[in-house]
Amino acid sequence: CRKKEEGKKNDLLRQEAAIIYNLNSAVKRKQGIPTMLWSGTDTNYPSINFMAMDVLGPNLEDLLKIVGGIFSLKTVLMIADNTISLLEYLHENHYIHRDIKPENFLMGMGDLSHIVYMVDYGLTMRYRDSNTLAHIKFREDRAVTGTARYLSLNGHYGIEQSRRDDLESLGYMFIYLLTGTLPWKKLTENNDQKDKVRKIAQKKLKTPIESFCRGIPEEFSIFLNYVI
C-alpha cells in the first residue's frame, strides 16, 4: 500500500509516518497497527512525500456492503473487541485518532485476515505529553475535525477532542455496523459541507441515544451514555 502527498505544504504525511513509526516502536507493539515499510522523498520527485505500508484487505464499510448492509451481533462484538483494544493502545501511547469510521479499519491479508487494522493517522494528534503525561488544555475554539457521521458532539461544537471523543465515534460506528443506519445518515448526503455538519450536530443533540439503540442489546446505549 502506498500513500503520497504532493506539495508538502503541511508535511502531514511525514507526520503520519512518524506516528506509525512510534506506534510500531513501542515496547509492547500491538498487532493491528500497519507496518510502515518506508517513508520519505524520491530524488526524482523532491516535492512529494511517499509512505509505503503493508498491503491490507477490505475495510469494514466495503465488507458491510458485500453482506447486505448489516453485520451480525457476533461480528460486531468481535470487531468491538479488536477496535477498543486498538484505541486503548493508541491512547496509552499518548495519541488520539480523531477520525474513527468503518473506512479506517481494514482486515489483514492471508493468515492475518482475521485481524482488524486501524489506519489513516492523518488527523491523529498527541493529547498528552509523553514524559509528564500533562493533558492538553481545554479549548472551545477548535475547527471541526473528523468525519461528520461519526464525529463526537464535542467535536461538532469546537471543543478540544480527547480520548472520550474517539470512544464516542466508535460507539456510533458499532451501532451503524449492527443496524445499517444512524438517525443522521441521510443528512450526510447533503452537498453543502458546513450545512451538513450543522444539521448532523443538531440531530445528534436532539436524538436520545436509547431511540436509535432500540432493538439491540442495551450495552451499546450504556457504552455511549458512558463516554458522551
Side-chain angles (χ1 to χ4, degrees):
C1 176
R2 184 185 70 181
K3 296 180 70 173
K4 68 177 183 177
E5 174 188 49
E6 298 188 41
K8 303 192 302 180
K9 182 178 181 181
N10 298 313
D11 274 349
L12 295 179
L13 192 60
R14 185 175 295 178
Q15 293 175 35
E16 181 177 1
I19 291 169
I20 295 175
Y21 176 81
N22 289 339
L23 293 174
N24 278 298
S25 299
V27 175
K28 295 182 179 180
R29 181 183 178 275
K30 176 73 175 177
Q31 192 172 36
I33 303 297
T35 302
M36 184 177 64
L37 306 176
W38 179 82
S39 69
T41 58
D42 187 289
T43 53
N44 295 317
Y45 305 96
S47 64
I48 302 177
N49 282 329
F50 292 95
M51 180 170 65
M53 298 183 297
D54 289 333
V55 175
L56 298 174
N59 65 51
L60 296 182
E61 182 67 40
D62 290 336
L63 290 174
L64 197 67
K65 292 175 182 177
I66 291 172
V67 301
I70 295 176
F71 284 151
S72 68
L73 176 60
K74 179 181 178 180
T75 298
V76 174
L77 291 178
M78 292 173 69
I79 290 170
D81 185 44
N82 278 268
T83 53
I84 290 174
S85 180
L86 282 168
L87 265 188
E88 180 182 30
Y89 177 77
L90 183 71
H91 294 165
E92 284 176 347
N93 283 279
H94 322 296
Y95 294 107
I96 50 176
H97 193 280
R98 300 202 303 170
D99 197 18
I100 297 297
K101 58 183 178 180
E103 292 89 341
N104 283 340
F105 290 99
L106 278 62
M107 304 307 299
M109 297 282 282
D111 293 339
L112 299 176
S113 60
H114 61 292
I115 301 296
V116 178
Y117 286 79
M118 182 166 61
V119 303
D120 198 346
Y121 300 89
L123 298 178
T124 298
M125 62 170 282
R126 286 190 181 273
Y127 71 91
R128 67 182 180 187
D129 185 276
S130 59
N131 295 315
T132 66
L133 302 186
H135 200 284
I136 54 176
K137 294 181 179 180
F138 177 83
R139 293 178 59 179
E140 298 181 279
D141 58 350
R142 306 298 286 171
V144 174
T145 302
T147 301
R149 183 185 294 181
Y150 306 99
L151 184 62
S152 68
L153 277 170
N154 280 347
H156 275 290
Y157 291 105
I159 297 173
E160 184 77 81
Q161 293 189 47
S162 62
R163 288 168 286 182
R164 61 183 287 179
D165 299 277
D166 276 350
L167 290 169
E168 183 179 339
S169 296
L170 199 61
Y172 294 141
M173 188 183 86
F174 294 156
I175 294 166
Y176 173 72
L177 296 177
L178 188 58
T179 67
T181 191
L182 287 165
W184 47 86
K185 180 184 176 184
K186 291 184 179 180
L187 297 177
T188 61
E189 297 169 2
N190 190 311
N191 291 325
D192 187 307
Q193 181 66 20
K194 289 185 177 179
D195 187 51
K196 176 181 73 175
V197 172
R198 179 181 61 81
K199 287 181 177 178
I200 291 175
Q202 291 174 346
K203 188 71 172 178
K204 285 179 184 175
L205 189 63
K206 295 178 180 179
T207 306
I209 291 171
E210 288 71 20
S211 69
F212 58 89
C213 289
R214 191 174 294 116
I216 63 176
E218 66 175 353
E219 283 76 11
F220 289 95
S221 62
I222 291 171
F223 176 88
L224 266 176
N225 276 308
Y226 185 79
V227 299
I228 291 179

